[in-house]
Amino acid sequence: MGIDVFTLIAQIVNFVVLLVLLRAFLYRPIMRVMREREQRIADEHAAAERAREEAEARAEELKREREEFEEERRERLAEVEREAERLREERLAEVREEAEAARERWREALERERDELADAVRGDVAAVVAEALRQGWRELADEELEARAIEVFADRLGELGDEERAALAEAVRDGELVFTTAFEATGARREALLAAVREALLGEDDDAALEAEFERDPELIAGVTLRAGDLRVGWTVRAQLDDLERDWAGGGDGG
Amino acid sequence: MTLSPDTIEVFAIGPWTINATLAFSWLVMALLVIVSWWVTRRLTASGDIGRGQNVLEALVAFLLDQIREVTNQDPEPYLPFVGTLFLFIFTSNVLSVVPGFQPPTGSLTTTAALAVCVFVAVPVFGIAKLGLKEYLGNYLRPSPFLLPFTLIGELSRTLALAVRLFGNVMSGTVVAAILLSVVPLLFPVVMQAFGLLIGVIQAYIFAILAIVYIASGTELQERRARVEEVRQ
């Protein structure tokens, strides 16, 4: 029942040895593993937390992006609508303009056609009337009318402007004169015509000899024309009627 | 009937006589070391752990919790000492139900040796924690006149530690032996089971008392500082 000193010391040594061995084979490895596991769990937790935060941030970002996209889409849509409205207005205006232009063209064409028709009608009427007048005058024309026409011709020569008179006088002096009358010019009438030319163009004092030819053209109806070089002057019923017809036929152009 | 395994001679090496206490101590030690080595040689930090590792981890966690509760300190430095005490006594006491096994803790020499270890460990941990001067100073507080009583207390509690364990374990064995001769059937089995329970409790008590003594050696400083704080 006593204490054996050798066994006591041996047991103390045994205990210390056991302590050292268990420390090496039990406590250290177990503590290490437990710490590693705790660390791993903490790491995983932190990673999960991080992942959660990242996911939240990403979700937030996506939400913002979606909102931005939506906003942009709305703006685009509004812009497109505005553009469409503008295009529609433009198109409408173009169409309106085109319609206006077409109507204008149509109106112009109508007017032109009407004018042409009027011209044609007037020309026909003028021709008919002129022809009727010509016929009438032809029947009325006689020596007396011829004499009256020659008087008018003489008056006409007297009424010429200075330049025309000078040019005509020059032509008369240089070249030969050709008188064309409706009726056969007799000697007295030829003298009268030459006298009228001399009086009107050359003056009383000029006694230059005047060479003249006389032709007859019944188509003139009544009256006389004088051709001197390139110049031509005269008064005939025919010319009057032609003027009349020309005036009527060209009346559509405002003249 | 033998009361102490010290007196059973197993074999002799030269002049040394190896008694049953030493032989069975080695047996227990070998068992503990081999099991530990066997389990810890393939530890894993993953969640999928083996059965043995699970048991050892639970054991270590239990010890750490107990030490932390008593000391209010980081339990890790005390774990090897307190854990070894507990495991050695626990294994010895539990194996006492095996016929022919003489628990080494039933020998006063063994319990005395363990008590001496605790007696030495208290100042070792105290000095490691507080420093030599501060630790020795604790014996003179609150008054140098109390030094003899403090020393007597140190010695007596060591003695009590040794005798308590020895008495409990030996009595279990003795009671079982006596009952076996008086009532050979059934009742000794109940008493053996009872002895098993007592053995486990004694292992726990021994370890807890050891850590309490160690904690008292390392905590004085902090307690004094707290008292002075309150005084101011």
Side-chain angles (χ1 to χ4, degrees):
Chain A
M1 179 76 59
I3 291 177
D4 177 16
V5 176
F6 167 69
T7 308
L8 180 76
I9 292 168
Q11 284 294 63
I12 291 173
V13 172
N14 281 344
F15 179 76
V16 172
V17 168
L18 182 64
L19 195 153
V20 170
L21 287 176
L22 285 186
R23 209 161 87 118
F25 288 113
L26 180 63
Y27 306 123
R28 277 213 179 134
I30 292 283
M31 290 300 291
R32 181 174 52 77
V33 165
M34 286 169 79
R35 233 179 268 129
E36 274 175 15
R37 183 179 302 119
E38 271 174 23
Q39 185 59 42
R40 196 170 53 78
I41 288 169
D43 285 352
E44 277 171 8
H45 187 75
E49 186 68 19
R50 222 169 24 245
R52 195 181 61 80
E53 278 169 9
E54 274 173 16
E56 270 176 11
R58 183 87 188 104
E60 189 66 29
E61 194 182 327
L62 280 176
K63 188 165 164 247
R64 208 179 56 247
E65 271 177 14
R66 204 172 54 230
E67 279 169 1
E68 276 174 9
F69 179 74
E70 184 66 21
E71 180 67 22
E72 196 178 327
R73 199 181 66 83
R74 251 198 313 274
E75 275 175 13
R76 282 260 175 82
L77 207 62
E79 198 177 315
V80 165
E81 274 173 9
R82 274 198 303 278
E83 184 72 8
E85 181 66 18
R86 196 177 60 74
L87 280 176
R88 203 175 68 83
E89 292 287 336
E90 272 182 18
R91 202 73 203 103
L92 215 58
E94 271 175 26
V95 167
R96 217 177 273 135
E97 243 169 54
E98 269 175 27
E100 188 65 31
R103 206 165 54 207
E104 187 66 24
R105 272 199 306 278
W106 176 76
R107 198 177 59 77
E108 280 173 3
L110 204 63
E111 277 179 3
R112 203 162 47 243
E113 208 170 305
R114 193 194 61 200
D115 288 350
E116 279 170 6
L117 191 65
D119 285 353
V121 168
R122 199 184 293 118
D124 287 353
V125 169
V128 168
V129 169
E131 194 51 44
L133 285 175
R134 251 180 234 118
Q135 194 60 37
W137 277 106
R138 227 172 256 134
E139 284 164 10
L140 283 177
D142 56 5
E143 288 293 337
E144 200 176 334
L145 185 63
E146 180 78 352
R148 283 289 306 135
I150 287 170
E151 280 175 27
V152 172
F153 169 73
D155 291 348
R156 254 315 137 77
L157 284 179
E159 290 165 5
L160 282 173
D162 288 344
E163 276 181 30
E164 284 173 322
R165 191 202 306 268
L168 199 56
E170 191 70 20
V172 167
R173 277 197 196 91
D174 287 351
E176 74 182 18
L177 306 170
V178 178
F179 288 98
T180 307
T181 54
F183 290 85
E184 190 62 48
T186 59
R189 194 164 289 163
R190 288 183 186 191
E191 286 300 322
L193 281 170
L194 286 173
V197 167
R198 188 185 301 275
E199 184 185 346
L201 302 177
L202 306 177
E204 293 292 336
D205 305 332
D206 197 330
D207 52 355
L210 291 174
E211 293 289 326
E213 276 181 33
F214 291 88
E215 291 172 357
R216 179 171 180 263
D217 184 4
E219 281 299 306
L220 295 179
I221 301 173
V224 60
T225 60
L226 167 62
R227 203 166 64 235
D230 296 334
L231 297 173
R232 203 182 174 93
V233 71
W235 190 94
T236 63
V237 170
R238 173 63 185 250
Q240 293 297 317
L241 290 176
D242 284 352
D243 281 352
L244 184 71
E245 187 185 350
R246 224 176 8 257
D247 279 355
W248 280 0
D253 301 331
Chain B
M1 190 183 76
T2 49
L3 290 179
S4 171
D6 286 1
T7 55
I8 304 170
E9 290 185 11
V10 180
F11 57 90
I13 304 172
W16 314 105
T17 303
I18 304 304
N19 55 32
T21 307
L22 286 178
F24 285 112
S25 290
W26 287 340
L27 186 67
V28 169
M29 284 165 66
L31 194 68
L32 286 173
V33 171
I34 287 169
V35 168
S36 297
W37 170 78
W38 180 260
V39 171
T40 57
R41 113 200 118 94
R42 46 182 177 195
L43 290 177
T44 171
S46 74
D48 185 20
I49 59 176
R51 214 175 301 168
Q53 184 183 348
N54 200 355
V55 169
L56 290 193
E57 279 191 22
L59 179 72
V60 168
F62 166 74
L63 289 169
L64 288 172
D65 276 351
Q66 293 297 320
I67 298 168
R68 193 184 291 110
E69 268 180 34
V70 173
T71 60
N72 284 324
Q73 295 172 30
D74 176 23
E76 234 185 288
Y78 309 115
L79 175 67
F81 182 77
V82 177
T84 305
L85 274 179
F86 177 76
L87 284 178
F88 180 72
I89 298 167
F90 176 87
T91 311
S92 297
N93 292 354
V94 167
L95 286 180
S96 68
V97 296
V98 176
F101 184 86
Q102 293 289 333
T105 42
S107 146
L108 185 59
T109 311
T110 304
T111 58
L114 296 179
V116 167
C117 287
V118 175
F119 180 76
V120 173
V122 169
V124 167
F125 278 112
I127 290 167
K129 183 92 194 297
L130 305 174
L132 180 64
K133 194 180 160 200
E134 192 62 40
Y135 177 76
L136 292 179
N138 275 338
Y139 283 97
L140 303 177
R141 272 188 284 268
S143 161
F145 294 112
L146 292 176
L147 179 61
F149 302 102
T150 312
L151 290 177
I152 291 170
E154 293 273 331
L155 288 170
S156 65
R157 79 187 183 192
T158 304
L159 184 65
L161 205 57
V163 174
R164 181 188 297 110
L165 181 59
F166 159 70
N168 275 287
V169 177
M170 184 211 65
S171 67
T173 316
V174 169
V175 164
I178 293 171
L179 281 175
L180 208 57
S181 60
V182 177
V183 193
L185 290 174
L186 295 175
F187 197 59
V189 176
V190 177
M191 287 313 291
Q192 284 238 317
F194 194 55
L196 202 60
L197 179 66
I198 287 174
V200 172
I201 291 171
Q202 285 307 315
Y204 177 72
I205 287 174
F206 195 99
I208 285 293
L209 284 177
I211 190 63
V212 166
Y213 296 156
I214 291 168
S216 71
T218 57
E219 264 191 346
L220 274 175
Q221 162 75 6
E222 291 167 29
R223 203 174 295 152
R224 189 170 60 86
R226 242 176 292 153
V227 167
E228 297 211 340
E229 222 170 76
V230 171
R231 269 188 200 149
Q232 283 169 2

